[in-house]
Amino acid sequence: MSTPTTPDTDPNRTPPQAGKPAPKLYIKTFGCQMNEYDSRKMADVLAASDGYVRTTEPDEADLLLLNTCSVREKAQEKVFSELGRWREWKAARPERQVAVGGCVASQEGEAIATRESLVDVVFGPQTLHRLPSLLEQTRTTGRPSVDVSFPEIEKFDRLPEPQADGPTAFVSIMEGCSKYCSFCVVPYTRGEEVSRPVDDVLVECAQLADRGVREITLLGQNVNGYRGALRDGGSCDLALLIHYVARLEGVERIRFTTSHPMEFDDGLIEAFADEPKLANYLHLPVQSGSERILKLMKRPHTIDGYVDKIRRLRMVRPDIALSSDFIVGFPSETDEDFEATMNLIAEVRFDSAFSFIYSPRPGTPASNLRDGVATEVKQERLRILQGRIKQLSDEYCRALVGQSHKVLVERPSRRGNGQMAGRLSNNRWVNFDAPEHLLGTFVDVTVTESLNNSLRGRLAEAASPA
């Protein structure tokens, strides 16, 4: 199998033929917000190169694309299970192409096409911009094409202008991670940390604002490790970038994810103090409340240091919403280690969290650790942790009732009945009666009720139709 050296701008690639119906693209995305961002960029690249339009019906598609994630348990099995469901669509139309991208593709490479003969193209997160050339190469040679290389920041230079289909958008400002936590595959599937130049990020944000985007989420595997090049040869960190983005006309709210505690510094705390457009929400993964387990995880932050940063953040944003990640049942985790995690949750009072039972990822140092924690113990610990987070979340949401908040109207509510849905600055969803013409605008909403997974609210009179 060969790897193309030309980008999607290859002049020898066959252009779409005039008069033919636009080819259809179906994308199935696993994983995080970064993968959602990448899927959108894949669609943009294919629309610009060959006129592909997205469809939600896989049996209609000319190209089936699977964007994968290798972070969670049994990621590879999930990929091959999905491909197994696609065999009948490939058999029905052999000319239909199948492509696999993302982190599992980066990790497995040619093995994917070897194991599943229906796969035409395998590409990594850093080579999505080469997808049109890879597809063309397979059509020409009749053999699968594989490119899981790491050409650093090249992909961002090759992407078409960003498109927007709503008032919110993700903007990737860096790729990869250099932290090498013992349990994590990201450095091996997305490479070392590489930051985009400041001007490139600002141009993309400005283009999105021109297309009606009002809220931008800055993305990176370790987003607060961002060190973007400035024109004068200097370097820009995340805090300074936030101030630059906030000055762009049309941008009204800024979020960022995902952060590492070691690089959540004074500059970011000052940004929360000084920049009103920075959302009142922080996701700061801690993983465990046990110092011993953190050392096994190769997480260099300390619990005292983590708590101190949260304390200083709350001095400037007393009501900020705090979210974190927790891994339960890491190899050799004792009752005392788990108790330390629960003590941390009680002290910080996270109002939401992503929590999982540890599962070894192939090729990571932690996969070699002896795991003596019984499965039923892990499950019980997870149940206890999630129950406590749910309790804190409910308390947080109940405290919002009666308060008025600035809400970006993002979409019609899934509840229907003429309701709209939007998020508060603290990332909580609220449903409320409102006319559809308010889509994409900020309105004042008073929270009237706290439900299991959302809030109900009432639109301020000034925003109601005349």
Side-chain angles (χ1 to χ4, degrees):
M1 300 178 191
S2 58
T3 298
T5 57
T6 54
D8 61 80
T9 52
D10 180 0
N12 297 316
R13 193 173 48 78
T14 305
Q17 298 181 23
K20 290 187 65 177
K24 293 185 178 181
L25 166 68
Y26 174 79
I27 304 180
K28 174 80 171 183
T29 305
F30 293 144
C32 63
Q33 291 168 317
M34 183 68 78
N35 274 29
E36 294 288 348
Y37 174 87
D38 283 349
S39 289
R40 180 57 191 262
K41 291 303 178 185
M42 294 171 198
D44 289 347
V45 166
L46 291 166
S49 66
D50 294 282
Y52 276 94
V53 295
R54 291 186 73 167
T55 177
T56 58
E57 301 297 331
D59 60 337
E60 295 180 352
D62 301 282
L63 171 60
L64 298 167
L65 200 160
L66 185 59
N67 189 13
T68 65
C69 174
S70 58
V71 171
R72 299 302 171 206
E73 185 179 10
K74 299 180 180 178
Q76 288 85 347
E77 288 85 345
K78 291 177 182 177
V79 168
F80 289 111
S81 176
E82 188 68 29
L83 290 173
R85 288 190 283 270
W86 289 7
R87 287 194 197 112
E88 62 179 276
W89 293 318
K90 179 74 170 181
R93 283 176 50 196
E95 75 281 3
R96 172 184 279 144
Q97 290 189 288
V98 175
V100 180
C103 292
V104 172
S106 180
Q107 199 168 13
E108 298 295 311
E110 293 187 6
I112 291 176
T114 300
R115 178 171 165 180
E116 276 291 356
S117 60
L118 79 160
V119 175
D120 298 293
V121 170
V122 180
F123 62 103
Q126 307 290 11
T127 53
L128 67 87
H129 60 292
R130 298 176 179 172
L131 185 52
S133 290
L134 288 161
L135 292 165
E136 179 67 16
Q137 180 172 296
T138 294
R139 284 191 290 265
T140 301
T141 66
R143 297 190 302 274
S145 298
V146 178
D147 187 349
V148 291
S149 59
F150 292 92
E152 292 195 341
I153 214 72
E154 174 193 300
K155 84 174 184 183
F156 293 105
D157 296 331
R158 304 285 184 172
L159 295 176
E161 287 192 7
Q163 302 300 311
D165 56 6
T168 66
F170 298 127
V171 173
S172 179
I173 65 172
M174 65 176 297
E175 286 277 349
C177 183
S178 303
K179 297 299 180 285
Y180 289 93
C181 298
S182 68
F183 57 84
C184 185
V185 298
V186 168
Y188 310 102
T189 58
R190 285 187 178 263
E192 296 265 322
E193 293 170 8
V194 180
S195 297
R196 296 177 66 188
V198 174
D199 283 353
D200 291 1
V201 174
L202 295 180
V203 166
E204 182 171 345
C205 291
Q207 289 171 336
L208 288 166
D210 287 344
R211 289 164 171 76
V213 168
R214 294 295 168 258
E215 176 183 296
I216 288 175
T217 300
L218 305 175
L219 291 180
Q221 272 78 31
N222 177 33
V223 71
N224 53 350
Y226 175 78
R227 298 295 183 271
L230 292 163
R231 283 185 229 174
D232 62 5
S235 177
C236 171
D237 63 9
L238 177 61
L240 181 56
L241 180 66
I242 288 169
H243 289 301
Y244 284 152
V245 174
R247 303 286 79 78
L248 295 174
E249 185 177 355
V251 176
E252 297 297 330
R253 183 179 284 165
I254 302 166
R255 303 182 189 273
F256 63 89
T257 196
T258 293
S259 301
H260 193 289
M262 286 301 294
E263 287 162 322
F264 188 80
D265 56 17
D266 290 345
L268 279 169
I269 292 175
E270 291 172 7
F272 275 103
D274 300 336
E275 183 48 68
K277 291 185 180 180
L278 184 55
N280 202 32
Y281 171 82
L282 173 66
H283 180 68
L284 191 62
V286 66
Q287 305 299 354
S288 174
S290 164
E291 300 280 5
R292 187 183 74 84
I293 294 296
L294 288 179
K295 288 178 182 177
L296 288 175
M297 290 178 169
K298 294 188 177 179
R299 300 277 289 179
H301 59 90
T302 65
I303 297 304
D304 285 346
Y306 184 94
V307 171
D308 181 63
K309 290 179 181 184
I310 298 300
R311 178 189 60 80
R312 290 188 288 123
L313 175 63
R314 280 182 165 149
M315 289 177 66
V316 300
R317 290 278 186 106
D319 59 343
I320 192 167
L322 290 173
S323 174
S324 193
D325 290 349
F326 293 96
I327 295 175
V328 173
F330 194 79
S332 81
E333 182 187 66
T334 64
D335 289 341
E336 290 74 20
D337 294 322
F338 179 67
E339 184 179 359
T341 296
M342 295 304 297
N343 289 340
L344 176 66
I345 290 171
E347 181 175 6
V348 175
R349 296 185 65 84
F350 300 97
D351 64 272
S352 62
F354 299 94
S355 52
F356 306 92
I357 292 175
Y358 168 77
S359 61
R361 311 311 309 133
T364 60
S367 64
N368 297 317
L369 295 175
R370 181 177 177 276
D371 187 1
V373 185
T375 299
E376 57 269 21
V377 172
K378 296 178 184 180
Q379 292 171 340
E380 177 63 10
R381 288 175 183 170
L382 183 65
R383 185 192 67 78
I384 292 170
L385 187 151
Q386 290 181 338
R388 178 58 172 149
I389 293 291
K390 177 67 165 59
Q391 179 185 14
L392 292 171
S393 176
D394 289 345
E395 291 175 8
Y396 181 87
C397 289
R398 284 196 296 269
L400 297 174
V401 175
Q403 297 179 10
S404 181
H405 290 263
K406 186 179 179 182
V407 173
L408 176 59
V409 187
E410 295 190 33
R411 57 172 171 77
S413 170
R414 295 191 177 97
R415 296 176 176 274
N417 299 321
Q419 289 193 323
M420 305 302 288
R423 280 181 298 166
L424 284 62
S425 180
N426 61 19
N427 213 37
R428 299 287 175 168
W429 282 95
V430 60
N431 298 291
F432 52 96
D433 293 327
E436 195 166 331
H437 72 78
L438 292 178
L439 269 172
T441 67
F442 282 91
V443 296
D444 291 324
V445 173
T446 299
V447 179
T448 58
E449 188 177 3
S450 173
L451 305 174
N452 275 334
N453 297 306
S454 64
L455 304 168
R456 282 185 180 172
R458 181 180 64 251
L459 188 66
E461 293 299 323
S464 301

